[in-house]
Amino acid sequence: HTQGTQGTCSASTSDASSIKIMTYNTFQIYCIPGVDKKTFKCQEAEARTERAKSFGEWFKGRDEDVVLLQELWSNHDVILAGMTAAGFCHYVMTEEQSGSGLAIFSKHPIAENSFKDWYDLFGGIRPEILNPESYIAAKGVLYARVMKNNQPINILNMHTNSDSIADKHDVRMQQFNIVKEVIDSKNISAEELVLMGGDMNEDKDCRLLKCDRQAKCENQTYYTDMLTALSAEEV
């Protein structure tokens, strides 16, 4: 991941003692030749690039302090130029087609960053042969220590395993435990704010929402499992 500062930062419009964050899945997934797009959802390069070009204009003038991006696996330069031109001048982001797909853009300085991938032969979760997400991309959790008015805010952007091929709640629970380990390793003061976001792939509304398949849990159990593993509460 690359950290940098580019362009002119927009002034924050949020209250001095608060911070406003957006999480946004960019769907910048490149297509695999010969693989049906219904099996592996993706967008052709031309359409992806057109969407990427619109990011800067859409984010210009928005009042968020920090934006968390996921699935940034193509058009890195286009989105970097657009987001920094929109006033989110501080950033840490992946620059690889097969990297984490994660980025954090901020109107405030980033004092520190780190990244932990989910799958690692020498720590973390061992890759699974029958789980393509464990080896086709280096998904994980991206950490940034953002300084707003000289006050540190600890932000984590994660992208966990989806249910594309099967119910992977058990895998996600291992990943949430890794996030908690990352937080604990930072020795963050109890007085500092820790915020977590991203594409967590857990449906809070469970059976209350009907999509293209039946939810696999009841009474928000998967969602509450996640909060428990992260020692977190909803904000």
Side-chain angles (χ1 to χ4, degrees):
H1 292 76
T2 299
Q3 179 176 337
T5 299
Q6 183 172 305
T8 302
C9 295
S10 291
S12 175
T13 57
S14 63
D15 184 84
S17 61
S18 65
I19 190 164
K20 189 170 184 179
I21 297 178
M22 175 191 289
T23 182
Y24 191 108
N25 188 311
T26 66
F27 192 53
Q28 288 290 312
I29 301 176
Y30 52 90
C31 296
I32 300 175
V35 177
D36 181 59
K37 295 183 183 63
K38 292 181 179 179
T39 302
F40 182 82
K41 292 183 173 62
C42 65
Q43 223 178 3
E44 293 293 352
E46 184 177 350
R48 285 200 317 276
T49 300
E50 282 304 307
R51 281 196 306 107
K53 288 177 179 177
S54 69
F55 271 54
E57 193 61 35
W58 192 83
F59 276 100
K60 192 177 295 181
R62 292 198 59 87
D63 62 353
E64 286 81 13
D65 295 284
V66 179
V67 176
L68 314 180
L69 301 182
Q70 305 88 40
E71 294 192 1
L72 182 52
W73 284 309
S74 61
N75 292 305
H76 302 85
D77 293 343
V78 175
I79 290 179
L80 173 61
M83 292 298 293
T84 54
F88 296 87
C89 63
H90 303 287
Y91 65 90
V92 53
M93 67 180 296
T94 179
E95 291 186 334
E96 299 177 24
Q97 191 178 60
S98 60
S100 73
L102 299 174
I104 298 175
F105 286 89
S106 172
K107 294 176 181 176
H108 311 283
I110 298 174
E112 176 190 345
N113 81 84
S114 64
F115 173 75
K116 173 65 178 176
D117 59 348
W118 306 133
Y119 296 95
D120 191 341
L121 291 174
F122 306 101
I125 309 168
R126 294 183 67 85
E128 305 171 85
I129 290 294
L130 297 179
N131 181 7
E133 291 186 40
S134 70
Y135 51 82
I136 62 173
K139 295 201 298 185
V141 56
L142 178 61
Y143 166 82
R145 187 172 171 86
V146 173
M147 304 298 294
K148 181 180 180 184
N149 300 326
N150 292 319
Q151 295 297 315
I153 297 133
N154 303 277
I155 299 173
L156 297 104
N157 179 17
M158 70 189 84
H159 190 183
T160 63
N161 211 108
S162 73
D163 286 338
S164 296
I165 60 171
D167 183 348
K168 291 295 182 180
H169 176 66
D170 59 335
V171 174
R172 289 192 293 276
M173 288 301 295
Q174 295 178 69
Q175 295 169 345
F176 297 139
N177 287 333
I178 289 173
V179 174
K180 184 62 167 59
E181 290 170 2
V182 169
I183 295 170
D184 291 344
S185 73
K186 300 296 180 183
N187 295 314
I188 298 168
S189 165
E191 297 180 354
E192 293 182 18
L193 183 63
V194 178
L195 296 172
M196 291 169 272
D199 189 345
M200 298 172 174
N201 278 305
E202 295 292 9
D203 179 6
K204 175 186 175 182
D205 296 307
C206 215
R207 292 187 186 275
L208 297 180
L209 286 182
K210 304 288 185 180
C211 298
D212 59 342
R213 58 182 179 271
Q214 187 73 7
K216 296 188 174 62
C217 61
E218 294 181 1
N219 302 320
Q220 301 182 353
T221 52
Y222 282 11
Y223 187 77
T224 53
D225 284 350
M226 174 188 72
L227 294 180
T228 299
L230 295 171
S231 296
E233 60 184 28
E234 185 178 315
V235 294

